[in-house]
Amino acid sequence: MLKVTYKGFYHFLIALCLLPLCLGIAGFDCVLAVHAFARPEVDSGIRWPQNQALPTFARAQHLDVALVSNAPQDFILLLQTLQGIVNRQLPQIYVINGVPSEGQYTWLNDIHIPYQVYNDPWQVVNKYIRQVQGMVIFDPNVLDTINVATTFAGIHRGVVVSPELATRLSTAPYNLPLLADFRGRFANGLEANTWQYEHLWPQTTHRMLVGLQPAQSVMVPQNNWQSFRTILQESQPITDGLNRAIYTMDLSHELGGEAVYLRFADAFPQDGWGASVRRISVNADGKNIIQFVTCTQDEEQYIFDHGRSGCDMSGLDPHRFSDGMRYFVYRFVPPAGTRQLVVNAEMWNEFNVSASSVRPLASSDQLIPGSLSLREYAVANQAMVFWLETDNNAADSALFERILSDVQPGTPYLGWFDSEPAGVRLISRHGVYVVASDSFDNMSVFSGLQAPSYPIKPIATPKLGNNIYVTFTMSDGDNVQFNEHHMRYVWDQDPARGSVPINWSISPALLDIAPVMLNYYQRTATKNDLLVAGPSGLGYFNPSLWPQDNLNRFLNVSGRYLRRAGTNIVYAIDVGSTLPAYVAQAYYNQLNLNGLLLNWWNPQSSSTINNRLPISTQLDATSRDGIVAAIHQNAAHWDGKSPLFIAVSLLAWNQAPASDAAYIAQRLGSRYRIVRGDQYFQLMRKANGLPMYN
């Protein structure tokens, strides 16, 4: 008598239904019906208690380290999805892609887990490929299917492959079965994401969301802009829009080619306040031929290269901006025979405008398959992976809203957005916070390595006097990939660290994601290093947009994480320059804070007591000397009869931010006192008659 187990019958049905799918014809819905009937069995070493923000993996016993420098993206995608399947039960695969800023083996050597390095990463694939059930092919013509395939692979213990790798893996010695083939299934990314929301989302975890860009831009060559000549450039570091005007640019010199290309970039890329453009009009021989407002559909037809530029839609004055190394390029085709071409641009801040009649060699809008490190963690946790635009894309945003509406307040969104302001506002309104983590490496390994957490040792608060008290805070600590990479680099390599009091913002979510990393910073801090919670507590969100009826409950959870992380100061980012009273009250009631640092990129610092909570907004400027000038300007009207408090935000992505702090401190003079954040708020409490923090 033939004995058929339920599991065997299930896989028989899957194979029967997937056969026509793999042939690219009808039959897809049959697969969906089986999925709804029975979810594949999952052997997992993951623990995720209800009171824990993110899961804990098993502790690795030995690691096989795959070096993938310069490996093709489709291979990295294969390896990362394999890593997720294998590490779900017991972390065994560790991937090093290139040379991280902190060094290839820095964290690996710190964790004291035995490991073996493989210079040929195919050896790691060969060792573990038998642990998967099969492969899932993405569609190179619709790159969002990389995310759909990732979600499918996480559910069905598969690996995601390109059509080329599928050919290799379907033959000996691999002979991998085909679980699904998404080629030709969808016309565009929205259709693909809608399909996975309707059919795969019910089978995935709803305790986390994962947003990963499925593609990367082609490499723009260094000589891409060599034919461009500078038309107009701001010579001063202006960040407050005081130079806003309509600027007229004559591009007649660029006539004669197939089109005219106009590029907007940042005149001072080190500070991140590049060109901001509101509207464009183009006149040919005195006649208007083109007119549009930026960040609208009318603009899109003229953009040759978005250059990772952003749209600020936060107020009544939406505009496109190109900060740092970002830029954007328009392509204008004037009528034949045009003799004069004039462009009028309403713009401000640190613009650098150039033009050419020669078509650039490449556009960053040209996309190729890409894979980010967090993908393995998403696969291991059977999370749905998607990428939906939040900035000027109504259809994508609507689908994003549907997904957000399905999860409970307090759910983490791991990854990142196309636009930070728009993305954070969107998820905050639904009670979801973001953990910036798309390039965090080997999260499934680090989340299983437990380490004790303890507070930074307190130091004595100086006697309150009629001085100007200044505290420096490093930005971006909510970003756990920053905690893993660049923060470790500057922490270890900046010779000025420890010479000046600095507040280092860091993510309390490291308690779940990488306890050993939080422990490292706690153990190696000098007496001048203080760890504070990065925006805006457990994760990054805009507090005043969070559902008001859930804010106290969520901040209570944040409070538990802050206490375990040993910090009582939060650096928060909100949509306004001041916190609403009910938000300050919630922070005071639930987190028991010493004080709160608010926002960044403000022209000046101000300190208030909001519902018994000391709050200081942070100032910043475009350079070290600019910060010195801004501090002096803040103190210009100080009469010396009472203490003055000034909070300063420092850009943590600089190569030596502690050296920046030391440089600034040396130029402030004897009336200034540089203090740690805990001292700062204790002094502020005493100056305002509040109880000292215990």
Side-chain angles (χ1 to χ4, degrees), residues 75 116-128 174:
F75 175 78
Q116 180 175 349
V117 176
Y118 292 84
N119 290 301
D120 179 3
W122 272 104
Q123 291 181 281
V124 176
V125 172
N126 296 341
K127 181 174 181 178
Y128 292 101
Y174 303 103

Side-chain angles (χ1 to χ4, degrees), residues 13 54 139 145 508 691:
L13 285 177
L54 290 164
D139 186 347
T145 59

Side-chain angles (χ1 to χ4, degrees), residues 435-457:
V435 179
S437 52
D438 45 340
S439 294
F440 191 101
D441 295 322
N442 303 295
M443 193 178 290
S444 61
V445 175
F446 284 105
S447 65
L449 302 174
Q450 299 305 304
S453 173
Y454 36 78
I456 300 295
K457 293 179 181 178

Side-chain angles (χ1 to χ4, degrees), residues 361-373:
L361 298 172
S363 165
S364 67
D365 289 353
Q366 297 170 255
L367 300 177
I368 57 176
S371 189
L372 294 163
S373 307

Side-chain angles (χ1 to χ4, degrees), residues 100-421:
S101 56
E102 77 279 10
Q104 280 187 310
Y105 302 101
T106 300
W107 289 114
L108 191 58
N109 289 333
D110 281 352
I111 62 178
H112 304 297
I113 301 293
Y115 64 86
Q116 180 175 349
V117 176
Y118 292 84
N119 290 301
D120 179 3
W122 272 104
Q123 291 181 281
V124 176
V125 172
N126 296 341
K127 181 174 181 178
Y128 292 101
I129 197 66
R130 296 301 170 196
Q131 294 193 26
V132 305
Q133 296 293 327
M135 56 186 175
V136 186
I137 303 175
F138 69 85
D139 186 347
N141 296 316
V142 182
L143 293 180
D144 284 84
T145 59
I146 291 175
N147 283 341
V148 177
T150 300
T151 305
F152 193 97
I155 296 170
H156 296 285
R157 293 186 62 86
V159 288
V160 177
V161 298
S162 64
E164 292 76 17
L165 281 179
T167 300
R168 176 173 179 172
L169 294 173
S170 64
T171 59
Y174 303 103
N175 299 314
L176 274 190
L178 183 59
L179 297 180
D181 186 346
F182 287 103
R183 287 177 292 181
R185 294 300 309 175
F186 310 109
N188 52 55
L190 179 61
E191 189 176 307
N193 281 306
T194 301
W195 180 87
Q196 76 159 333
Y197 171 69
E198 293 173 348
H199 299 295
L200 301 183
W201 171 240
Q203 304 168 70
T204 63
T205 179
H206 287 197
R207 294 186 65 186
M208 73 167 69
L209 300 172
V210 178
L212 293 178
Q213 194 165 15
Q216 64 181 32
S217 299
V218 298
M219 185 68 69
V220 175
Q222 290 184 347
N223 62 344
N224 207 47
W225 318 113
Q226 67 178 8
S227 66
F228 281 67
R229 71 179 180 99
T230 300
I231 302 294
L232 196 61
Q233 181 170 331
E234 176 55 61
S235 60
Q236 300 298 318
I238 297 176
T239 64
D240 53 11
L242 288 179
N243 61 341
R244 181 169 183 164
I246 297 176
Y247 294 86
T248 299
M249 296 168 281
D250 190 338
L251 305 187
S252 302
H253 183 271
E254 277 64 45
L255 291 171
E258 51 90 22
V260 172
Y261 296 87
L262 188 63
R263 183 174 186 260
F264 293 81
D266 192 338
F268 297 89
Q270 71 277 7
D271 65 41
W273 283 93
S276 292
V277 181
R278 167 63 173 163
R279 67 181 75 243
I280 295 285
S281 68
V282 182
N283 296 325
D285 294 332
K287 181 180 179 180
N288 182 257
I289 59 170
I290 297 170
Q291 187 166 318
F292 58 81
V293 173
T294 57
C295 299
T296 63
Q297 288 301 315
D298 291 339
E299 177 199 36
E300 282 299 317
Q301 61 185 306
Y302 301 108
I303 296 185
F304 171 79
D305 187 348
H306 287 79
R308 296 180 60 245
S309 62
C311 284
D312 186 345
M313 310 293 288
S314 58
L316 300 176
D317 193 26
H319 57 273
R320 184 172 296 280
F321 61 89
S322 54
D323 295 345
M325 301 309 295
R326 301 181 182 190
Y327 61 88
F328 54 97
V329 181
Y330 293 122
R331 179 179 181 269
F332 301 131
V333 181
T338 297
R339 302 181 64 181
Q340 184 185 47
L341 190 71
V342 175
V343 173
N344 295 304
E346 182 182 354
M347 61 183 177
W348 59 96
N349 286 346
E350 299 165 1
F351 50 78
N352 181 354
V353 188
S354 57
S356 176
S357 61
V358 179
R359 183 184 180 91
L361 298 172
S363 165
S364 67
D365 289 353
Q366 297 170 255
L367 300 177
I368 57 176
S371 189
L372 294 163
S373 307
L374 185 64
R375 196 170 298 274
E376 59 94 13
Y377 186 78
V379 169
N381 286 293
Q382 292 187 300
M384 186 174 79
V385 183
F386 59 93
W387 182 257
L388 293 167
E389 294 183 356
T390 59
D391 196 358
N392 197 31
N393 189 324
D396 269 20
S397 295
L399 179 56
F400 206 151
E401 296 250 20
R402 292 174 66 189
I403 297 169
L404 292 168
S405 297
D406 285 351
V407 300
Q408 294 296 317
T411 298
Y413 171 89
L414 285 79
W416 200 233
F417 312 99
D418 62 312
S419 165
E420 177 180 344

Side-chain angles (χ1 to χ4, degrees), residues 649-667:
S649 174
L650 298 176
L651 184 60
W653 292 104
N654 288 350
Q655 285 300 104
S659 294
D660 292 341
Y663 177 93
I664 295 164
Q666 291 166 4
R667 285 156 178 79

